[in-house]
Each structure stands twice: as structure tokens, then as C-alpha cells.
Amino acid sequence: MVSEKVSRKTAAKEELLLLLPRIDRVLEAEPAVLRIDADPVMIIGDIHGDSQALEFVIGKRKELNCKNVLFLGDYVDRGPQGTEVLIRLFRLKLEDPDHIFLLRGNHETVDMNLYYGFFEEIGLDQEFLLRISRTYDKMPIATVLSGHTFCVHGGINGAGSIDSIRKEEAFAFPYLWNDPSKRPGLTASIRGSTVKEFGPDIVDGFLETNNLKRIIRGHTALENGYKWWFDGKLLSLFSCPDYVGLGNTAAFALFEKKEIKLFIFGN
């Protein structure tokens, strides 16, 4: 049984490696900040190696007849099927590059993969991890929907212009990591010394600077799969049910005609 599992994982790694050169070319051609002006758009939060959750939302895409799907990052780690999730997502992107969009999350980094499951899943294969990291580096960081809704994995870093966002990890870091807070300003985070929490005043300044109406982000495990902040100016989504045994439900959003409809699934 163990050898069968190892064999399946080896085959999955080989399949993923074959996809990487093609997906690299597609992702590299995309800017750091995507612009999607067509709707509806399905918006999916963290998947974390949960193939069943991913298949559920893909099935909903057909049911809702929604061509555009935006994933907010965190495809691997914590769950056992990160390789399979990446294969499925990359195949979807290659089949329909104009309607499937894959943002980078903080778990699309080597530092996180080393400690939170993906490195172990791929058999502690350093060469493989370094190869996949080159693909991570090509992923876009954020998306603007219909000119007014900013989508990102983590958060924002003050009230600066979105034109300054770059794919390089050092520039992208706050957008992959930062979290909302009720406290005003940019304040310290329990996630680490380089991570910040941003308050309602920061959100107001960011939206005003960039002529935006709201932010949609992932990054945070939530009991009900979603949470509204700041009088509807920010929506947090999480699409991995029963994350590490927490028993949470999951959610995704449908963005259409400036409105957001939430779908709850899982436990």
C-alpha cells in the first residue's frame, strides 16, 4: 500500500514537471496585476491540497455557467494533494488561459513548502521544489475586477498605487502576507516581524488612491468560509473545508454586475 502511494506521487510529480515549461510561458506573459472586465467571475480562496474541494468548485463553474474563475492562491501545503491540485489547475489554465486566473499565495514560496507539507509530499526532493519555485515567481499577484474590485491573496501595504506591485517576491511579500485588523494604521502581526496588519483607515486610503470600491482576499482560515470587514469594503474568503481538522465550512464568491453572491460548502 505504501509503495503504491509512493508510485502515484512519483507519477504525479513527473506529470507536473512536464506541464511546467508550458505553464511558465503562459504565466510569464501575464502582468503582476491582472485586469478582468468581463463577468461573472467565480472567486476561490485557499485550496491547500484539497482535491475534493477543488473538484467541487470546478463543478460549480459548469453549474453556474461561469467562464471566468479567479483563484486567490495557496494551492499546496497543509493538505495531502498539493501536486494533484497544481496539475489540475495548470491543465485548466493551459486549456482556457483567457478565463482561468491563478494568483500567487504565501504558500507558493519555498520557505513555506519546506515546513508545511508540500516538501514532504514530494519526497523531500529539493531539485523539484526549486523547479516549481521558478513557476511560483511567474504568477500574478493581484487582479482588478471591472475596474473597481481589488483581489489578492493576503492584503495591502499602505495606501500606495497598485501600479507599484511587482512579481518579485520582495515586492509581492505584503500582498501575499498582510491581514486586516480593526486597529488603525499598519500594526504588528502574530505571523512574524515582517508581516503587517492593516486597519480601516489604510483600506480607505488604498481604495481612494486607486479609485476602487472593495478588496477581496484569502489567506485566513474562517469558521464559516468568509468574513466581511470594514462595512463591506473587504471580503475574506477561504475555500478549504475542515482545514487541518478545524471543522470549518468553506466558501467561494460569484462576482456579477457589481454584486457578490456567496456560496457555502463543506462541513
Side-chain angles (χ1 to χ4, degrees), residues 42-248:
M42 283 177 65
I43 307 169
I44 317 300
D46 304 38
I47 294 294
H48 281 298
D50 188 333
S51 286
Q52 189 173 351
L54 177 59
E55 292 306 323
F56 178 84
V57 297
I58 291 170
K60 284 293 182 181
R61 180 196 187 198
K62 295 176 183 176
E63 186 180 314
L64 295 168
N65 192 27
C66 183
K67 285 185 178 181
N68 300 296
V69 186
L70 173 64
F71 291 88
L72 300 179
D74 277 14
Y75 312 115
V76 301
D77 284 334
R78 303 289 196 184
Q81 299 157 325
T83 312
E84 290 83 355
V85 166
L86 288 177
I87 289 169
R88 187 76 160 105
L89 288 173
F90 289 166
R91 286 200 175 281
L92 283 171
K93 178 68 175 173
L94 290 169
E95 290 164 6
D96 198 0
D98 295 330
H99 298 105
I100 300 292
F101 305 97
L102 306 174
L103 299 188
R104 187 177 188 176
N106 67 304
H107 281 267
E108 279 69 66
T109 56
V110 168
D111 288 349
M112 297 301 283
N113 294 169
L114 286 171
Y115 296 104
Y116 293 101
F118 188 56
F119 188 45
E120 185 176 353
E121 179 187 331
I122 60 174
L124 309 181
D125 187 335
Q126 292 184 351
E127 185 177 346
F128 183 89
L129 186 58
L130 289 173
R131 175 61 190 87
I132 194 76
S133 75
R134 297 205 297 273
T135 298
Y136 295 158
D137 291 341
K138 294 173 172 56
M139 288 179 167
I141 305 303
T143 303
V144 177
L145 301 180
S146 298
H148 58 68
T149 295
F150 181 76
C151 299
V152 70
H153 178 72
I156 57 176
N157 189 35
S161 169
I162 60 175
D163 295 334
S164 66
I165 297 174
R166 300 288 181 267
K167 288 185 178 182
E168 290 83 1
E169 193 170 335
F171 291 100
F173 184 91
Y175 301 97
L176 306 184
W177 277 97
N178 288 359
D179 294 292
S181 169
K182 293 178 181 178
R183 295 174 295 172
L186 282 171
T187 53
S189 168
I190 59 171
R191 292 187 189 268
S193 60
T194 51
V195 183
K196 300 296 182 185
E197 294 185 349
F198 54 93
D201 55 327
I202 301 297
V203 169
D204 286 344
F206 176 83
L207 295 177
E208 183 177 352
T209 295
N210 294 287
N211 196 27
L212 298 167
K213 292 183 179 179
R214 69 167 74 90
I215 298 168
I216 301 177
R217 47 92 68 177
H219 195 39
T220 304
L222 300 162
E223 183 179 358
N224 299 313
Y226 73 95
K227 181 177 179 179
W228 285 103
W229 290 77
F230 313 134
D231 297 321
K233 293 176 185 175
L234 185 145
L235 173 64
S236 195
L237 290 172
F238 199 76
S239 303
C240 180
D242 194 25
Y243 175 64
V244 296
L246 290 176
N248 62 287

